[in-house]
Amino acid sequence: MSSRRSRSRQSGVTRISDDQMADLVYKLQQLLPEIRHRRSDKVSAAKILQETCNYIRNLHREVDNLSGRLAELLESTDGESAEAAVIRSLLV
Amino acid sequence: MNHRVPDFQEVEDDFSIPTSSGLSNSRPRRPAIGEEEIMELLWQNGQVVAQTQKSSKKAAIGDGCETVITAEQREIRPGGEEEPTQQHLFMQEDEMASWLQYPLDVSSFDRDLYADFLYSAPPPSTPPITALAPPRSVVDIRPAAPPVQVPPRIQNFLHISRIPTRLRNESGIPMSGVAAGTTNARSLTVVESNETPVLGQVSHTVEDSKVNVPGRNVESGPLVEAGEVAVGPAEFTVTSSPSCSGASFSSGGDRRPPESVAEDRKRKGREAGYSELPKEDTEFQATDIKPQAHGSTLTKKSRAAEVHNLSERRRRDRINEKMKALQELIPRCNKSDKASMLDEAIEYLKSLQLQVQMMMSMGCGMVPMMYPGMQQYMPVMGMGMGLGMGMDMSMNRPMMPYPSMLPGSALPNPAAAHMSACFPMPAFHLPPVSVTDPSRIQASNQTDPTSNSAVSHNPNQPQMQNFNEPYQQFLGPRQAQPPLPQNQTVVQSISKQPSNRKDIGNT
């Protein structure tokens, strides 16, 4: 990946080619479930970044929720069972 | 999460509406009294629909602005074609009353809305900008233009920004570091606008109650990163006024407006592609030249170019601040490089999706079980019911089945029926992931056959995504579970991923 990036520094900013950024932004767009189907030329990078932030926050929240539920589950099961081990493994 | 995700869409819808239907869009519900039966005015999907109150209750329970068509509604609508319009007017009057506190020029409201939309439009759309120029060019050409003319414009922008803030007041999500960053960015633009004589005095007259624009020195203190741009050449165009008004709220301490203004700019910025990052330096040079042109002659070309530069810069700033926000979200991100940061963001996002999906499928049922013929994908079941994430469900990627079988258990028993209980499976689409190292999850099916029978049997079984090693760094100390000894028939009947499975041949 580093081969793609030109390392010329001007005013402290690394020159990144347009293609790179477009590619990365496109990848992000693919990951985002809502924007994925929109035409790429329509969605601005700022919007994609914003959606990414929101999505990550959502996922964080989900993880918290699920962790809570898993903790409850863990308590409900016997601590010896295999699934308890699984649950524990999930609860990072 | 329900309020979060639809918030954007809802707001965007709201903003697509005003262009067509004027003011009365920011109030989703308005009871209209005066009929014999209690009729409620409901704003649904861009039109005012009168409903009886009991049917309105259904709508209230349901989804934001979706059309809930009930029988009464149908009767009322065709019958009372005039009434909606009448109530529409009535609604407008009410809205006008609420607006009256602001010296708002209603007639120019729409025009200003358009102006806002088009301001940071891409260069190809300069014609619309120049078309809009007439109200703006007056200000542009004559810096000493009568301030009387300008304040209404600025105030209009104020209100434009106020709409989103009002809309977004419900879903207050704390923006910890982001708020600071965005506030700084907004104040940055405020500083910019203060460079101009016109806007400076305007901001004094209009916004002194709301914005400590005179106190910009206070705010420019924390503007560390924006220092160089703030000191930059005097930006002259009125385009900074929307940002000025946006900043008014941010500095007012409202946490939503930074995001709302970002919303505005997002919607306005229907630019194509992402071609602006490398142009940062050229921007600075260009703007250095411009003031000279302004001093001597204000050519249309220089003005247009400057508008373009400004819009580009604003867009860039937007992107930069979003990158910062993203960087804060990503754990252990020490990269200052944009591209590498985006790379990390992508990886982190994938890992998060994986993790959530895992936890979901784990947490709902007790036992992630395997089921013969599991190579089917999950159906569109429980689409958004559990999560309300609003994401679509298509998991169109082969997934690894769970190992579930303990020796001695019947085959159909482990029917992952339990999973149907938790069938609000993560409804997001995960990109195709190369399955490198399947990590199995131990599960025992001994817990409760009762639960299995109780839960409705689901023909399509959930399948588990394999973890990807690269993402382990994000997911923390997750050990790869030793695969359970599997029932031979089950193993063989399942079409496997081509990757190396540890236990394929073990039975």
Side-chain angles (χ1 to χ4, degrees):
Chain A
M1 256 211 191
S2 59
S3 60
R4 296 195 285 171
R5 298 177 198 150
S6 55
R7 288 289 172 190
S8 65
R9 313 236 163 198
Q10 301 183 17
S11 67
V13 174
T14 303
R15 278 299 197 196
I16 304 175
S17 73
D18 285 344
D19 297 339
Q20 281 180 280
M21 293 309 279
D23 184 37
L24 292 175
V25 170
Y26 179 73
K27 274 190 200 164
L28 264 185
Q29 187 178 354
Q30 297 305 102
L31 284 175
L32 298 176
E34 295 160 7
I35 316 187
R36 191 172 62 247
H37 299 303
R38 297 194 202 167
R39 291 178 293 139
S40 62
D41 56 345
K42 271 286 238 182
V43 188
S44 78
K47 181 180 181 78
I48 293 181
L49 287 177
Q50 180 71 47
E51 292 294 330
T52 303
C53 289
N54 295 332
Y55 188 47
I56 289 181
R57 287 195 202 108
N58 286 339
L59 286 180
H60 281 164
R61 214 179 321 166
E62 274 301 306
V63 166
D64 291 341
N65 290 342
L66 289 172
S67 297
R69 282 163 66 181
L70 279 180
E72 290 173 13
L73 260 184
L74 191 56
E75 286 168 348
S76 68
T77 70
D78 48 346
E80 304 290 328
S81 65
E83 62 196 14
V86 177
I87 295 178
R88 277 194 215 100
S89 73
L90 279 176
L91 290 175
V92 281
Chain B
M1 188 166 322
N2 266 328
H3 65 278
R4 191 71 191 94
V5 170
D7 189 37
F8 282 105
Q9 301 159 357
E10 180 182 346
V11 169
E12 289 186 359
D13 286 339
D14 282 342
F15 271 96
S16 64
I17 288 176
T19 60
S20 60
S21 58
L23 282 172
S24 51
N25 60 346
S26 57
R27 305 282 186 273
R29 308 277 168 91
R30 280 194 86 81
I33 307 177
E35 315 286 339
E36 282 187 312
E37 53 181 0
I38 298 179
M39 301 271 300
E40 271 196 336
L41 259 191
L42 293 185
W43 184 261
Q44 291 183 350
N45 256 6
Q47 46 178 332
V48 179
V49 171
Q51 273 189 357
T52 57
Q53 209 163 18
K54 50 178 182 172
S55 65
S56 73
K57 291 229 172 60
K58 292 185 215 165
I61 296 174
D63 30 17
C65 289
E66 308 302 313
T67 52
V68 175
I69 304 210
T70 63
E72 296 97 342
Q73 213 173 337
R74 282 206 198 89
E75 292 164 12
I76 293 167
R77 220 188 254 153
E81 278 298 336
E82 301 172 10
E83 289 184 272
T85 58
Q86 190 178 14
Q87 288 158 352
H88 184 75
L89 291 176
F90 181 69
M91 206 161 121
Q92 264 185 345
E93 284 176 23
D94 280 347
E95 297 224 323
M96 283 301 298
S98 68
W99 285 108
L100 277 179
Q101 46 179 321
Y102 314 118
L104 175 62
D105 183 10
V106 182
S107 62
S108 65
F109 191 77
D110 285 337
R111 196 172 57 217
D112 290 330
L113 277 182
Y114 285 111
D116 245 3
F117 285 138
L118 292 174
Y119 258 165
S120 56
S125 70
T126 44
I129 294 181
T130 55
L132 273 175
R136 311 277 170 249
S137 62
V138 177
V139 183
D140 284 340
I141 293 179
R142 272 162 269 166
V148 180
Q149 187 180 6
V150 186
R153 301 279 178 267
I154 305 301
Q155 288 169 5
N156 291 338
F157 288 120
L158 267 178
H159 305 310
I160 293 171
S161 308
R162 278 207 184 115
I163 293 179
T165 59
R166 199 174 289 136
L167 284 176
R168 288 173 183 80
N169 271 337
E170 297 87 46
S171 62
I173 289 189
M175 299 168 61
S176 54
V178 181
T182 54
T183 311
N184 286 343
R186 296 296 168 273
S187 319
L188 152 74
T189 52
V190 172
V191 175
E192 273 187 28
S193 65
N194 277 333
E195 303 281 354
T196 70
V198 176
L199 296 177
Q201 49 179 329
V202 167
S203 56
H204 275 276
T205 56
V206 173
E207 302 179 5
D208 54 348
S209 64
K210 305 177 178 54
V211 176
N212 50 347
V213 164
R216 62 187 165 96
N217 297 326
V218 178
E219 292 202 2
S220 57
L223 289 178
V224 183
E225 72 278 7
E228 67 269 13
V229 183
V231 182
E235 309 306 326
F236 187 75
T237 60
V238 189
T239 56
S240 49
S241 58
S243 54
C244 185
S245 56
S248 72
F249 296 100
S250 62
S251 52
D254 194 345
R255 282 187 306 188
R256 301 305 296 165
E259 206 180 3
S260 69
V261 180
E263 280 280 7
D264 285 337
R265 294 179 179 181
K266 268 189 334 189
R267 273 173 287 100
K268 290 177 253 176
R270 300 192 245 282
E271 307 93 349
Y274 194 84
S275 57
E276 291 194 352
L277 287 179
K279 296 183 191 165
E280 281 174 339
D281 307 324
T282 60
E283 285 277 340
F284 284 118
Q285 300 161 12
T287 48
D288 282 333
I289 303 174
K290 282 305 171 236
Q292 305 168 13
H294 282 147
S296 56
T297 55
L298 295 171
T299 63
K300 221 185 245 185
K301 202 183 280 187
S302 69
R303 218 177 24 249
E306 178 142 344
V307 166
H308 170 53
N309 286 346
L310 262 188
S311 58
E312 274 209 22
R313 174 176 307 180
R314 262 211 323 256
R315 179 176 173 266
R316 229 193 8 263
D317 291 343
R318 243 183 302 154
I319 291 177
N320 285 344
E321 83 189 39
K322 301 252 183 334
M323 296 278 287
K324 283 193 208 96
L326 189 56
Q327 187 175 16
E328 287 169 13
L329 276 177
I330 297 178
R332 296 187 288 273
C333 179
N334 51 356
K335 310 263 191 327
S336 57
D337 186 16
K338 271 187 198 170
S340 62
M341 215 204 72
L342 279 186
D343 284 335
E344 274 216 26
I346 291 172
E347 287 185 22
Y348 179 61
L349 191 52
K350 285 187 198 167
S351 70
L352 255 191
Q353 283 176 342
L354 266 176
Q355 181 183 10
V356 170
Q357 182 186 6
M358 260 283 297
M359 299 176 78
M360 196 99 51
S361 54
M362 269 303 301
C364 292
M366 290 284 279
V367 208
M369 299 263 194
M370 201 161 50
Y371 190 78
M374 207 149 97
Q375 54 271 42
Q376 305 171 14
Y377 305 137
M378 284 229 332
V380 191
M381 242 199 77
M383 177 69 103
M385 57 189 229
L387 304 181
M389 278 170 137
M391 310 181 196
D392 68 285
M393 195 69 174
S394 59
M395 306 218 193
N396 54 1
R397 137 159 115 279
M399 314 247 265
M400 291 302 291
Y402 273 158
S404 68
M405 311 292 300
L406 284 181
S409 57
L411 198 52
N413 201 6
H418 60 287
M419 294 303 252
S420 58
C422 73
F423 244 65
M425 257 311 253
F428 43 76
H429 167 72
L430 301 179
V433 168
S434 65
V435 179
T436 57
D437 197 5
S439 57
R440 296 303 196 68
I441 300 183
Q442 292 195 16
S444 69
N445 58 354
Q446 67 203 354
T447 45
D448 25 9
T450 58
S451 74
N452 280 341
S453 56
V455 179
S456 62
H457 187 60
N458 200 355
N460 293 321
Q461 299 310 316
Q463 307 197 359
M464 192 47 208
Q465 181 76 32
N466 274 325
F467 299 122
N468 282 341
E469 289 302 326
Y471 302 140
Q472 292 299 321
Q473 55 168 335
F474 290 124
L475 296 182
R478 179 176 312 208
Q479 318 99 5
Q481 300 284 337
L484 277 180
Q486 290 187 3
N487 196 340
Q488 196 168 6
T489 57
V490 175
V491 166
Q492 288 168 359
S493 64
I494 296 176
S495 71
K496 301 292 190 342
Q497 290 285 335
S499 64
N500 46 348
R501 289 169 65 99
K502 300 174 190 137
D503 59 339
I504 285 187
N506 61 354
T507 51

